[in-house]
Amino acid sequence: MGASLVVSGASKAFGGVFAVREVDLVVEPGELRAVIGPNGAGKSTLFALIGGQRAPDAGAVRLDGVRIDRLPAHRRAQLGVSVVFQAARIFPRMTALENVMVGAHTATHAGFLAAAVRWPAHYRSERLIVSRAREALARVGLADWSTRPAASLPLGQQRALQLARALCAEPRLLLLDEPASGLRAAERDELAALLADLQQEGLTMLLVEHDVGFVMRLADRVTVLDLGRVIAEGTPAEVRADPAVIAAYLGDRQGSAA
């Protein structure tokens, strides 16, 4: 079951200028929530506050009621938070399978001693991780690429590889930072279908994305930021028709949506 995410009064300033200011956001278990906004709206900063790359100056981030905004990234991962960044973060000299296996590091409990002396618990854990990594590669369409060096994969496949690594951790909350950026139309369609399947399985997702069309066909609800503040929130249809959103992001002040 997916986790609930609650952001309350989150603020972050740089040099006295607020990138995010008093943002409230509630994502229900199993919901696919999108965050959109024009350049400089604060989307990336909000994503970093939730994902753990930055700490808020004020406010809190809670996962199932547990405050996580001061926890390091590995502790958030242990609680079920997986992050897919806009830039594909891979280990270039490792194979695709080895890259994905890294995502399961929070699932193994065999410990260092078991690995050092090759106890049976280590082998069981290793087999489990390999099995999960192969399954995750298959989910993103990379089953045939498992033995290839990650650096040899095209950009679209490197993005898919990062998503597979996140799924290998069996997350309860998946954070995606502009996952459709730079993808071809067919690749965007495949990604949209996968995210829809993951939601059907109950995974909670927060999607930060520039591609409005991609967002509108996927998201249950959309939060719109402008100048670090929430200016609108609702279903895709409600947000698309909101005059403040049209003026700030989707089109001109006469209401022609982009």
Side-chain angles (χ1 to χ4, degrees), residues 19 34-46 177-178 207-213 215-216 222-232 239 244-251 258:
V35 176
I36 65 173
N39 289 333
K43 303 185 302 296
S44 295
T45 301
L46 178 62
D177 185 13
E178 299 195 25
L207 169 69
V208 172
E209 182 55 67
H210 254 52
D211 187 332
V212 176
V215 165
M216 294 302 178
V222 180
T223 297
V224 186
L225 296 181
D226 190 27
L227 300 177
R229 293 184 180 272
V230 175
I231 62 168
V239 164
V245 177
I246 294 170
Y249 185 63
L250 295 178

Side-chain angles (χ1 to χ4, degrees), residues 83-183:
V83 183
V84 177
F85 297 97
Q86 180 180 4
R89 299 186 178 185
I90 60 171
F91 300 97
R93 296 184 181 180
M94 295 168 60
T95 67
L97 179 64
E98 290 167 340
N99 265 266
V100 177
M101 288 171 64
V102 172
H105 71 281
T106 58
T108 177
H109 302 290
F112 173 77
L113 181 59
V117 300
R118 301 289 177 173
W119 284 351
H122 166 74
Y123 288 108
R124 287 195 299 270
S125 178
E126 190 172 43
R127 285 195 298 270
L128 172 63
I129 289 174
V130 170
S131 175
R132 280 171 47 176
R134 292 190 183 281
E135 181 180 345
L137 280 171
R139 294 275 331 243
V140 303
L142 293 180
D144 295 334
W145 299 67
S146 63
T147 60
R148 294 186 58 172
S152 71
L153 274 61
L155 174 62
Q157 280 68 35
Q158 289 187 8
R159 289 277 188 81
L161 182 63
Q162 188 179 202
L163 177 56
R165 187 167 62 210
L167 294 178
C168 192
E170 297 186 344
R172 298 167 56 243
L173 172 65
L174 181 61
L175 307 175
L176 300 123
D177 185 13
E178 299 195 25
S181 175
L183 298 185

Side-chain angles (χ1 to χ4, degrees), residues 78 100 141 200:
Q78 290 171 344
V100 177
Q200 287 295 317

Side-chain angles (χ1 to χ4, degrees), residues 18-59:
F18 279 97
V20 169
R21 189 161 191 167
E22 298 177 353
V23 168
D24 295 327
L25 176 69
V26 178
V27 185
E28 300 293 344
E31 181 182 1
L32 197 165
R33 171 68 65 94
V35 176
I36 65 173
N39 289 333
K43 303 185 302 296
S44 295
T45 301
L46 178 62
F47 186 89
L49 297 183
I50 297 170
Q53 292 72 52
R54 295 189 182 276
D57 297 330

Side-chain angles (χ1 to χ4, degrees), residues 187-197 214 217-218:
E187 292 172 331
R188 286 197 301 271
D189 289 342
E190 291 173 358
L191 175 61
L194 175 57
L195 296 183
D197 286 345
F214 185 82
R217 64 172 164 161
L218 274 176

